Amino acid sequence: MNTVLITGSAKRLGRGLAIEFAKKGWNIILHYNSSQNEAIITAEQIKKFGVEVYPIQFDLSSYQEIEKGFEKIKADFPFPNVLVNNAGIFPPPTTLQDLTEEAWNSIMNVNLNAHLYTAKFFTKYAADNSRIINIASVGGLEVWKHRIPYNVSKAGVIKLTRVLAKELAPRFSVNSISPGTITFEEDPVNDSADQYPMKRFATVKDIFDAVYFFATTTNYITGQNLCVDGGFTLK
């Protein structure tokens, strides 16, 4: 049976992706850091689909914790054949003069560095033809005022995807997805979608369809970034 590890899968997009994978019959390694209560609730929801769920906690901002987390996964769980690097920080807008070193480093550690380190330890143990799927953002392609660390980190994810794809071929495929704004049932977006040609925001299912495509399609598709943005970047 297939197994997927989704970082930050206790809530929001990660939770939605985990539930959709479970509906398809996949076992879930449910990663979280501080969202233990949400992880417990999500795990119970996943079990309803008759699959196995393996919660695991580690801090993605720490190289050592990522390494230990993957060692635990290798020792205690069926090792995943798909890694979805979903966890990320979308910080409040900040001017250059107000941007602190601490804020910059914390965003880069989770949004970019963690993708590199999880890829390192995932590919250390994973079987051939396993997949890495990075969740980037249209923010990695756009330039938004007061969003310097976010724009730069997500642009880095897109570039990292390409260099990892070349580095890890032919054993592994690596692709990324750049969503636009996503709305959630528990947290709807209170704004107009008029700037989107499709006149709506993305749903979790929209993003999952792209993730599942990369998880199951030929490994000949690698190093690609797919915008799932309702046409937002068509300018």
Side-chain angles (χ1 to χ4, degrees):
M1 183 178 287
N2 289 314
T3 301
V4 59
L5 164 59
I6 306 171
T7 64
S9 48
K11 57 185 181 180
R12 293 179 67 80
L13 178 59
R15 169 186 172 273
L17 294 177
I19 289 171
E20 293 297 329
F21 267 107
K23 290 178 182 178
K24 296 281 191 182
W26 288 54
N27 293 329
I28 309 296
I29 299 178
L30 195 160
H31 164 265
Y32 66 97
N33 182 26
S34 58
S35 303
Q36 183 177 29
N37 291 338
E38 292 91 339
I40 292 170
I41 294 169
T42 300
E44 290 303 313
Q45 292 174 313
I46 290 169
K47 290 176 183 177
K48 294 177 182 178
F49 298 101
V51 300
E52 298 296 325
V53 57
Y54 307 93
I56 186 167
Q57 185 276 332
F58 56 87
D59 183 357
L60 288 170
S61 67
S62 166
Y63 179 95
Q64 290 76 20
E65 286 211 25
I66 293 171
E67 182 176 22
K68 290 178 182 177
F70 274 86
E71 288 173 351
K72 178 175 175 57
I73 292 169
K74 176 64 175 174
D76 298 343
F77 306 153
F79 202 79
N81 50 306
V82 173
L83 165 65
V84 180
N85 278 314
N86 162 76
I89 299 171
F90 186 64
T94 307
T95 67
L96 175 61
Q97 295 306 319
D98 290 333
L99 179 61
T100 65
E101 180 182 17
E102 180 183 15
W104 172 269
N105 288 338
S106 67
I107 294 162
M108 289 297 160
N109 282 339
V110 174
N111 285 12
L112 180 57
N113 296 353
H115 289 44
L116 174 64
Y117 303 148
T118 56
K120 175 178 179 177
F121 296 114
F122 175 74
T123 55
K124 180 178 180 179
Y125 302 118
D128 287 1
N129 198 34
S130 294
R131 315 294 175 87
I132 298 174
I133 304 162
N134 295 321
I135 303 299
S137 167
V138 296
L141 303 169
E142 299 270 312
V143 177
W144 297 338
K145 194 172 181 65
H146 302 328
R147 298 285 187 184
I148 296 171
Y150 185 78
N151 284 160
V152 172
S153 66
K154 291 301 186 178
V157 170
I158 295 170
K159 188 66 172 183
L160 178 65
T161 297
R162 290 174 57 81
V163 297
L164 285 177
K166 192 164 189 177
E167 180 78 17
L168 297 171
R171 291 188 60 204
F172 307 103
S173 65
V174 187
N175 294 287
S176 63
I177 293 164
S178 289
T181 301
I182 306 169
T183 188
F184 302 91
E185 290 183 7
E186 69 277 16
D187 185 21
V189 177
N190 295 316
D191 200 357
S192 171
D194 286 346
Q195 60 186 322
Y196 286 78
M198 297 307 291
K199 302 305 179 187
R200 67 177 179 85
F201 298 118
T203 65
V204 168
K205 185 62 164 53
D206 292 323
I207 309 306
F208 172 75
D209 285 349
V211 171
Y212 195 71
F213 169 74
F214 282 137
T216 57
T217 193
T218 172
N219 66 359
Y220 205 65
I221 299 174
T222 193
Q224 302 305 303
N225 177 61
L226 177 59
C227 288
V228 185
D229 64 355
F232 179 76
T233 49
L234 298 174
K235 298 178 180 177

